[in-house]
Amino acid sequence: MVEYLLLLALDKAKLLETIDALRKLPKNPSPGVDLDYTMNIFGTWHVAVWFSSDNSTQAAEFINSKISQIPGVVDAFPVATFPHKEP
């Protein structure tokens, strides 16, 4: 599975309710997608979402059908990552 870091910009007027909705996402929010965790960050982006996916199509579908549909999500910037893990 490929791991992704998804950076989200949120509508500041809906910040708390959007963060709450993101925290309530299930561990497997979409087919082939495993949600690791969400975290608040400060700066241009407001929330980071770490998840893994079997392939890029499933990752894009998760972002478009689940994340982008949450009220208050203004922008999403996905980054494919290559963590340094021991085999």
Side-chain angles (χ1 to χ4, degrees):
M1 291 187 110
V2 177
E3 294 184 351
Y4 292 86
L5 169 64
L6 178 63
L7 301 173
L8 300 175
L10 307 181
D11 178 345
K12 292 177 186 172
K14 298 180 181 181
L15 195 65
L16 294 178
E17 64 192 67
T18 306
I19 289 172
D20 189 47
L22 289 164
R23 287 181 179 158
K24 290 180 180 176
L25 286 170
K27 173 73 175 146
N28 302 105
S30 199
V33 173
D34 293 330
L35 181 63
D36 295 319
Y37 57 91
T38 63
M39 64 181 158
N40 298 356
I41 53 178
F42 297 95
T44 302
W45 304 101
H46 302 107
V47 173
V49 178
W50 283 97
F51 71 95
S52 54
S53 178
D54 290 334
N55 59 57
S56 61
T57 301
Q58 290 172 327
E61 180 64 25
F62 166 63
I63 294 166
N64 291 329
S65 69
K66 301 290 183 183
I67 299 295
S68 296
Q69 302 305 311
I70 296 173
V73 173
V74 175
D75 196 10
F77 184 77
V79 180
T81 63
F82 302 95
H84 299 259
K85 290 185 178 179
E86 294 295 322

